[in-house]
Amino acid sequence: DAGVTQSPTHLIKTRGQQVTLRCSPKSGHDTVSWYQQALGQGPQFIFQYYEEEERQRGNFPDRFSGHQFPNYSSELNVNALLLGDSALYLCASSLGQIRKTQYFGPGTRLLVL
Amino acid sequence: AQSVTQLDSHVSVSEGTPVLLRCNYSSSYSPSLFWYVQHPNKGLQLLLKYTSAATLVKGINGFEAEFKKSETSFHLTKPSAHMSDAAEYFCVVSDGYSSASKIIFGSGTRLSIRP
């Protein structure tokens, strides 16, 4: 039973570029959440997708957008990259939205130069 | 509004001695509470969770946590530390009674184990 997988593992971009990160949820899970973890800090909630719609959103600008596909996999897109977007991006999946345990992938480490 | 505070940014203990990582929470509703562990360059792993059943929750690797509503605390303990326990630990709160609820992470506690 595969857990949560994310690709790529590492990525280097320059300011102003756009990036797409991908996530495949744990088998049987239907909800995907994205988090940003800056160095030395706890993960910050970006948004959550369920039934192919964004259901919740944290305090992130519209440069951060996402998508969920019919097979429950998800993408996180970040436009007009800033140096401050450098972080570990974590994807988590769960079965359902409310009070459910989230299982995390290994993350994608993004460096913006 | 919900929030979570991890009272220590760094805890250092000797191998074989008890571990205590402190977490206080604030929630408008009866919350779900979690502890996750993150080893260097690894993803987050669930240690244990509380969802309004027994107040003493047992997790993996000998860890346990006690939910104390009167103190709004959910401290993580382990009787005897092992070198492999060295990692970053996150306390997480969710009051998840609606789709508007969010999951909030604490700032983390780095646990170091002295030989």
Side-chain angles (χ1 to χ4, degrees):
Chain A
D1 177 24
V4 180
T5 60
Q6 293 186 244
S7 62
T9 56
H10 295 81
L11 206 51
I12 300 175
K13 292 286 188 179
T14 57
R15 281 180 298 175
Q17 285 189 312
Q18 178 264 345
V19 68
T20 298
L21 311 181
R22 296 176 176 81
C23 171
S24 291
K26 183 178 169 65
S27 178
H29 285 185
D30 57 7
T31 302
V32 173
S33 302
W34 286 93
Y35 294 81
Q36 180 194 68
Q37 185 178 19
L39 201 61
Q41 298 182 21
Q44 300 291 314
F45 175 76
I46 302 175
F47 43 54
Q48 183 180 79
Y49 276 83
Y50 174 71
E51 292 187 335
E52 301 181 47
E53 291 189 15
E54 182 182 299
R55 300 292 179 164
Q56 303 178 45
R57 190 178 184 92
N59 295 325
F60 280 81
D62 293 345
R63 298 186 298 109
F64 289 77
S65 63
H67 189 77
Q68 186 180 33
F69 299 94
N71 67 353
Y72 307 118
S73 65
S74 176
E75 289 182 349
L76 163 66
N77 301 292
V78 186
N79 294 322
L81 284 166
L82 304 174
L83 296 180
D85 294 332
S86 295
L88 180 67
Y89 288 85
L90 295 164
C91 170
S93 73
S94 59
L95 180 58
Q97 297 174 268
I98 299 174
R99 301 171 72 89
K100 302 302 183 183
T101 300
Q102 295 196 328
Y103 294 85
F104 285 81
T108 294
R109 188 164 297 282
L110 172 65
L111 177 61
V112 182
L113 300 176
Chain B
Q2 54 183 347
S3 65
V4 59
T5 303
Q6 292 184 242
L7 299 168
D8 307 292
S9 60
H10 183 211
V11 170
S12 179
V13 302
S14 297
E15 188 175 20
T17 65
V19 175
L20 170 64
L21 305 184
R22 298 182 295 164
C23 172
N24 285 357
Y25 70 91
S26 172
S27 177
S28 302
Y29 305 100
S30 181
S32 292
L33 292 159
F34 307 80
W35 276 97
Y36 284 87
V37 61
Q38 187 174 36
H39 288 92
N41 300 315
K42 297 281 184 67
L44 287 153
Q45 180 183 20
L46 178 69
L47 279 177
L48 50 81
K49 67 174 181 178
Y50 166 78
T51 54
S52 75
T55 57
L56 182 62
V57 182
K58 293 188 183 298
I60 62 172
N61 301 334
F63 284 95
E64 63 181 35
E66 186 171 8
F67 173 71
K68 292 186 176 181
K69 185 175 181 179
S70 61
E71 299 177 8
T72 61
S73 69
F74 190 59
H75 301 335
L76 181 70
T77 60
K78 182 174 181 177
S80 177
H82 190 272
M83 294 299 292
S84 61
D85 295 328
E88 189 86 18
Y89 291 78
F90 293 98
C91 182
V92 180
V93 64
S94 171
D95 65 10
Y97 276 102
S98 75
S99 60
S101 65
K102 296 182 178 63
I103 293 179
I104 307 296
F105 276 73
S107 55
T109 298
R110 183 164 60 92
L111 176 62
S112 299
I113 312 296
R114 300 186 300 271

Short mmCIF file of all heavy atoms in Angstrom, two decimals, chain A residues 59-99:
data_model
loop_
_atom_site.label_atom_id
_atom_site.label_comp_id
_atom_site.label_asym_id
_atom_site.label_seq_id
_atom_site.Cartn_x
_atom_site.Cartn_y
_atom_site.Cartn_z
N ASN A 59 -3.68 31.58 5.09
CA ASN A 59 -3.33 32.95 4.77
C ASN A 59 -2.23 33.03 3.72
O ASN A 59 -1.12 33.49 3.99
CB ASN A 59 -2.92 33.69 6.04
CG ASN A 59 -4.07 33.82 7.01
OD1 ASN A 59 -5.22 33.99 6.61
ND2 ASN A 59 -3.77 33.72 8.29
N PHE A 60 -2.53 32.58 2.54
CA PHE A 60 -1.58 32.62 1.44
C PHE A 60 -2.19 33.41 0.30
O PHE A 60 -3.39 33.35 0.05
CB PHE A 60 -1.22 31.19 0.99
CG PHE A 60 -0.20 30.53 1.87
CD1 PHE A 60 -0.58 29.95 3.06
CD2 PHE A 60 1.14 30.51 1.52
CE1 PHE A 60 0.36 29.35 3.90
CE2 PHE A 60 2.08 29.93 2.33
CZ PHE A 60 1.69 29.34 3.53
N PRO A 61 -1.34 34.15 -0.45
CA PRO A 61 -1.87 34.98 -1.55
C PRO A 61 -2.35 34.13 -2.72
O PRO A 61 -2.08 32.93 -2.80
CB PRO A 61 -0.65 35.83 -1.94
CG PRO A 61 0.53 35.02 -1.52
CD PRO A 61 0.13 34.31 -0.28
N ASP A 62 -3.02 34.82 -3.64
CA ASP A 62 -3.59 34.13 -4.80
C ASP A 62 -2.52 33.57 -5.74
O ASP A 62 -2.87 32.79 -6.65
CB ASP A 62 -4.48 35.10 -5.59
CG ASP A 62 -5.72 35.48 -4.80
OD1 ASP A 62 -6.01 34.77 -3.81
OD2 ASP A 62 -6.37 36.46 -5.16
N ARG A 63 -1.27 33.94 -5.50
CA ARG A 63 -0.19 33.33 -6.31
C ARG A 63 -0.13 31.81 -6.10
O ARG A 63 0.41 31.09 -6.93
CB ARG A 63 1.17 33.92 -5.93
CG ARG A 63 1.33 35.39 -6.16
CD ARG A 63 2.77 35.84 -5.89
NE ARG A 63 3.22 35.62 -4.52
CZ ARG A 63 4.11 34.70 -4.15
NH1 ARG A 63 4.64 33.89 -5.06
NH2 ARG A 63 4.47 34.59 -2.88
N PHE A 64 -0.67 31.40 -4.97
CA PHE A 64 -0.73 29.97 -4.65
C PHE A 64 -2.09 29.44 -5.10
O PHE A 64 -3.13 29.91 -4.63
CB PHE A 64 -0.54 29.73 -3.16
CG PHE A 64 0.86 30.00 -2.66
CD1 PHE A 64 1.30 31.30 -2.47
CD2 PHE A 64 1.73 28.96 -2.41
CE1 PHE A 64 2.60 31.56 -2.03
CE2 PHE A 64 3.02 29.20 -1.96
CZ PHE A 64 3.46 30.50 -1.77
N SER A 65 -2.06 28.47 -6.00
CA SER A 65 -3.31 27.88 -6.46
C SER A 65 -3.12 26.37 -6.58
O SER A 65 -1.99 25.87 -6.53
CB SER A 65 -3.72 28.46 -7.82
OG SER A 65 -2.75 28.15 -8.80
N GLY A 66 -4.23 25.69 -6.73
CA GLY A 66 -4.11 24.24 -6.78
C GLY A 66 -5.18 23.61 -7.64
O GLY A 66 -6.04 24.29 -8.22
N HIS A 67 -5.10 22.31 -7.67
CA HIS A 67 -6.07 21.55 -8.46
C HIS A 67 -6.11 20.15 -7.89
O HIS A 67 -5.09 19.62 -7.43
CB HIS A 67 -5.64 21.52 -9.93
CG HIS A 67 -6.66 20.95 -10.84
ND1 HIS A 67 -7.78 21.65 -11.23
CD2 HIS A 67 -6.76 19.72 -11.42
CE1 HIS A 67 -8.52 20.88 -12.02
NE2 HIS A 67 -7.91 19.71 -12.15
N GLN A 68 -7.29 19.56 -7.94
CA GLN A 68 -7.40 18.13 -7.61
C GLN A 68 -8.05 17.42 -8.78
O GLN A 68 -9.04 17.90 -9.35
CB GLN A 68 -8.23 17.90 -6.35
CG GLN A 68 -8.23 16.43 -5.91
CD GLN A 68 -9.04 16.17 -4.65
OE1 GLN A 68 -10.05 16.82 -4.40
NE2 GLN A 68 -8.59 15.20 -3.84
N PHE A 69 -7.52 16.30 -9.14
CA PHE A 69 -7.99 15.53 -10.29
C PHE A 69 -8.97 14.45 -9.84
O PHE A 69 -9.06 14.12 -8.67
CB PHE A 69 -6.78 14.93 -11.01
CG PHE A 69 -5.82 15.96 -11.52
CD1 PHE A 69 -4.73 16.36 -10.76
CD2 PHE A 69 -6.02 16.57 -12.75
CE1 PHE A 69 -3.85 17.33 -11.22
CE2 PHE A 69 -5.16 17.55 -13.22
CZ PHE A 69 -4.07 17.93 -12.45
N PRO A 70 -9.72 13.88 -10.82
CA PRO A 70 -10.69 12.85 -10.45
C PRO A 70 -10.09 11.65 -9.72
O PRO A 70 -10.79 10.96 -8.98
CB PRO A 70 -11.28 12.43 -11.81
CG PRO A 70 -11.13 13.65 -12.66
CD PRO A 70 -9.83 14.27 -12.24
N ASN A 71 -8.81 11.38 -9.92
CA ASN A 71 -8.18 10.25 -9.21
C ASN A 71 -7.64 10.69 -7.84
O ASN A 71 -6.90 9.94 -7.20
CB ASN A 71 -7.05 9.65 -10.05
CG ASN A 71 -5.88 10.60 -10.22
OD1 ASN A 71 -5.94 11.77 -9.83
ND2 ASN A 71 -4.81 10.10 -10.81
N TYR A 72 -8.02 11.88 -7.39
CA TYR A 72 -7.69 12.48 -6.09
C TYR A 72 -6.27 13.05 -6.00
O TYR A 72 -5.95 13.68 -5.01
CB TYR A 72 -7.90 11.50 -4.93
CG TYR A 72 -9.28 10.88 -4.91
CD1 TYR A 72 -9.46 9.51 -5.06
CD2 TYR A 72 -10.40 11.68 -4.77
CE1 TYR A 72 -10.73 8.95 -5.06
CE2 TYR A 72 -11.67 11.13 -4.76
CZ TYR A 72 -11.83 9.75 -4.92
OH TYR A 72 -13.08 9.20 -4.92
N SER A 73 -5.44 12.83 -7.02
CA SER A 73 -4.13 13.45 -6.98
C SER A 73 -4.29 14.97 -7.07
O SER A 73 -5.36 15.48 -7.43
CB SER A 73 -3.24 12.94 -8.10
OG SER A 73 -3.76 13.33 -9.35
N SER A 74 -3.21 15.67 -6.74
CA SER A 74 -3.34 17.12 -6.64
C SER A 74 -2.06 17.81 -7.11
O SER A 74 -0.98 17.21 -7.11
CB SER A 74 -3.62 17.51 -5.18
OG SER A 74 -3.67 18.91 -5.00
N GLU A 75 -2.22 19.04 -7.52
CA GLU A 75 -1.10 19.90 -7.88
C GLU A 75 -1.16 21.19 -7.08
O GLU A 75 -2.25 21.70 -6.79
CB GLU A 75 -1.14 20.25 -9.37
CG GLU A 75 -0.80 19.12 -10.29
CD GLU A 75 -0.80 19.54 -11.76
OE1 GLU A 75 -1.27 20.66 -12.06
OE2 GLU A 75 -0.34 18.75 -12.59
N LEU A 76 0.01 21.70 -6.76
CA LEU A 76 0.15 23.02 -6.16
C LEU A 76 0.93 23.87 -7.15
O LEU A 76 2.01 23.48 -7.60
CB LEU A 76 0.90 22.93 -4.83
CG LEU A 76 1.47 24.24 -4.26
CD1 LEU A 76 0.35 25.20 -3.89
CD2 LEU A 76 2.35 23.96 -3.04
N ASN A 77 0.37 25.01 -7.52
CA ASN A 77 1.03 25.94 -8.42
C ASN A 77 1.37 27.22 -7.68
O ASN A 77 0.53 27.74 -6.93
CB ASN A 77 0.11 26.27 -9.60
CG ASN A 77 -0.28 25.05 -10.39
OD1 ASN A 77 0.55 24.43 -11.04
ND2 ASN A 77 -1.55 24.68 -10.31
N VAL A 78 2.57 27.71 -7.92
CA VAL A 78 2.96 29.00 -7.34
C VAL A 78 3.48 29.87 -8.47
O VAL A 78 4.42 29.48 -9.19
CB VAL A 78 4.05 28.85 -6.26
CG1 VAL A 78 4.30 30.20 -5.59
CG2 VAL A 78 3.66 27.81 -5.22
N ASN A 79 2.85 31.02 -8.66
CA ASN A 79 3.25 31.97 -9.70
C ASN A 79 4.12 33.08 -9.13
O ASN A 79 4.12 33.33 -7.91
CB ASN A 79 2.00 32.60 -10.33
CG ASN A 79 1.18 31.60 -11.09
OD1 ASN A 79 1.71 30.72 -11.75
ND2 ASN A 79 -0.13 31.72 -10.97
N ALA A 80 4.87 33.73 -10.03
CA ALA A 80 5.67 34.89 -9.65
C ALA A 80 6.46 34.63 -8.38
O ALA A 80 6.32 35.34 -7.37
CB ALA A 80 4.75 36.11 -9.47
N LEU A 81 7.30 33.62 -8.42
CA LEU A 81 8.03 33.18 -7.24
C LEU A 81 8.85 34.29 -6.61
O LEU A 81 9.48 35.11 -7.29
CB LEU A 81 8.95 32.02 -7.60
CG LEU A 81 8.26 30.65 -7.80
CD1 LEU A 81 9.21 29.68 -8.48
CD2 LEU A 81 7.76 30.12 -6.48
N LEU A 82 8.83 34.29 -5.27
CA LEU A 82 9.63 35.20 -4.47
C LEU A 82 10.67 34.41 -3.71
O LEU A 82 10.51 33.20 -3.49
CB LEU A 82 8.74 35.95 -3.48
CG LEU A 82 7.57 36.73 -4.05
CD1 LEU A 82 6.70 37.30 -2.93
CD2 LEU A 82 8.06 37.85 -4.96
N LEU A 83 11.73 35.10 -3.29
CA LEU A 83 12.76 34.43 -2.50
C LEU A 83 12.15 33.76 -1.26
O LEU A 83 12.56 32.67 -0.86
CB LEU A 83 13.85 35.40 -2.07
CG LEU A 83 14.68 36.06 -3.18
CD1 LEU A 83 15.70 37.00 -2.59
CD2 LEU A 83 15.34 35.00 -4.06
N GLY A 84 11.15 34.41 -0.69
CA GLY A 84 10.50 33.91 0.52
C GLY A 84 9.67 32.67 0.32
O GLY A 84 9.18 32.08 1.30
N ASP A 85 9.49 32.27 -0.93
CA ASP A 85 8.74 31.04 -1.20
C ASP A 85 9.63 29.81 -1.03
O ASP A 85 9.14 28.68 -1.10
CB ASP A 85 8.17 31.06 -2.62
CG ASP A 85 7.12 32.13 -2.80
OD1 ASP A 85 6.44 32.50 -1.81
OD2 ASP A 85 6.98 32.62 -3.94
N SER A 86 10.90 30.01 -0.82
CA SER A 86 11.81 28.88 -0.58
C SER A 86 11.39 28.16 0.69
O SER A 86 11.32 28.77 1.76
CB SER A 86 13.25 29.38 -0.44
OG SER A 86 13.72 29.95 -1.64
N ALA A 87 11.10 26.88 0.56
CA ALA A 87 10.58 26.12 1.70
C ALA A 87 10.43 24.66 1.31
O ALA A 87 10.63 24.29 0.15
CB ALA A 87 9.23 26.67 2.15
N LEU A 88 10.06 23.87 2.31
CA LEU A 88 9.65 22.49 2.06
C LEU A 88 8.13 22.49 1.91
O LEU A 88 7.42 23.00 2.79
CB LEU A 88 10.06 21.59 3.23
CG LEU A 88 9.70 20.11 3.14
CD1 LEU A 88 10.48 19.43 2.02
CD2 LEU A 88 9.95 19.42 4.48
N TYR A 89 7.63 21.96 0.82
CA TYR A 89 6.19 21.91 0.59
C TYR A 89 5.71 20.49 0.83
O TYR A 89 6.16 19.55 0.18
CB TYR A 89 5.86 22.39 -0.83
CG TYR A 89 6.04 23.89 -0.94
CD1 TYR A 89 7.31 24.42 -1.22
CD2 TYR A 89 4.99 24.76 -0.72
CE1 TYR A 89 7.49 25.79 -1.28
CE2 TYR A 89 5.17 26.13 -0.78
CZ TYR A 89 6.43 26.64 -1.05
OH TYR A 89 6.62 28.00 -1.09
N LEU A 90 4.80 20.39 1.76
CA LEU A 90 4.30 19.09 2.19
C LEU A 90 2.88 18.88 1.73
O LEU A 90 2.04 19.78 1.80
CB LEU A 90 4.35 18.99 3.72
CG LEU A 90 5.74 19.02 4.35
CD1 LEU A 90 5.64 19.31 5.84
CD2 LEU A 90 6.46 17.72 4.10
N CYS A 91 2.62 17.68 1.27
CA CYS A 91 1.28 17.26 0.91
C CYS A 91 0.82 16.24 1.94
O CYS A 91 1.61 15.40 2.39
CB CYS A 91 1.31 16.65 -0.49
SG CYS A 91 -0.22 15.83 -0.97
N ALA A 92 -0.43 16.32 2.33
CA ALA A 92 -1.00 15.36 3.26
C ALA A 92 -2.34 14.89 2.72
O ALA A 92 -3.09 15.66 2.13
CB ALA A 92 -1.19 16.00 4.63
N SER A 93 -2.64 13.62 2.94
CA SER A 93 -3.94 13.11 2.50
C SER A 93 -4.70 12.52 3.68
O SER A 93 -4.12 12.13 4.69
CB SER A 93 -3.78 12.07 1.39
OG SER A 93 -3.28 10.84 1.89
N SER A 94 -6.02 12.49 3.53
CA SER A 94 -6.88 11.91 4.55
C SER A 94 -8.14 11.38 3.89
O SER A 94 -8.43 11.71 2.73
CB SER A 94 -7.24 12.95 5.62
OG SER A 94 -7.90 14.05 5.05
N LEU A 95 -8.86 10.56 4.63
CA LEU A 95 -10.16 10.09 4.16
C LEU A 95 -11.20 10.98 4.81
O LEU A 95 -11.54 10.81 5.98
CB LEU A 95 -10.36 8.62 4.53
CG LEU A 95 -11.69 8.02 4.10
CD1 LEU A 95 -11.87 8.13 2.59
CD2 LEU A 95 -11.79 6.56 4.53
N GLY A 96 -11.70 11.95 4.06
CA GLY A 96 -12.62 12.93 4.62
C GLY A 96 -11.87 14.12 5.15
O GLY A 96 -10.65 14.14 5.30
N GLN A 97 -12.66 15.15 5.45
CA GLN A 97 -12.07 16.44 5.82
C GLN A 97 -11.99 16.67 7.31
O GLN A 97 -11.04 17.27 7.80
CB GLN A 97 -12.92 17.57 5.23
CG GLN A 97 -13.01 17.63 3.73
CD GLN A 97 -14.00 18.71 3.33
OE1 GLN A 97 -15.18 18.46 3.14
NE2 GLN A 97 -13.51 19.92 3.22
N ILE A 98 -13.02 16.23 8.01
CA ILE A 98 -13.21 16.73 9.36
C ILE A 98 -12.64 15.78 10.42
O ILE A 98 -13.02 14.62 10.48
CB ILE A 98 -14.71 16.99 9.61
CG1 ILE A 98 -15.21 18.04 8.62
CG2 ILE A 98 -14.95 17.44 11.04
CD1 ILE A 98 -16.69 18.28 8.66
N ARG A 99 -11.74 16.29 11.25
CA ARG A 99 -11.15 15.56 12.38
C ARG A 99 -10.48 14.27 11.93
O ARG A 99 -10.46 13.29 12.67
CB ARG A 99 -12.21 15.25 13.43
CG ARG A 99 -12.89 16.48 14.00
CD ARG A 99 -14.07 16.10 14.87
NE ARG A 99 -13.68 15.52 16.14
CZ ARG A 99 -13.45 16.20 17.24
NH1 ARG A 99 -13.54 17.52 17.23
NH2 ARG A 99 -13.12 15.58 18.36
#
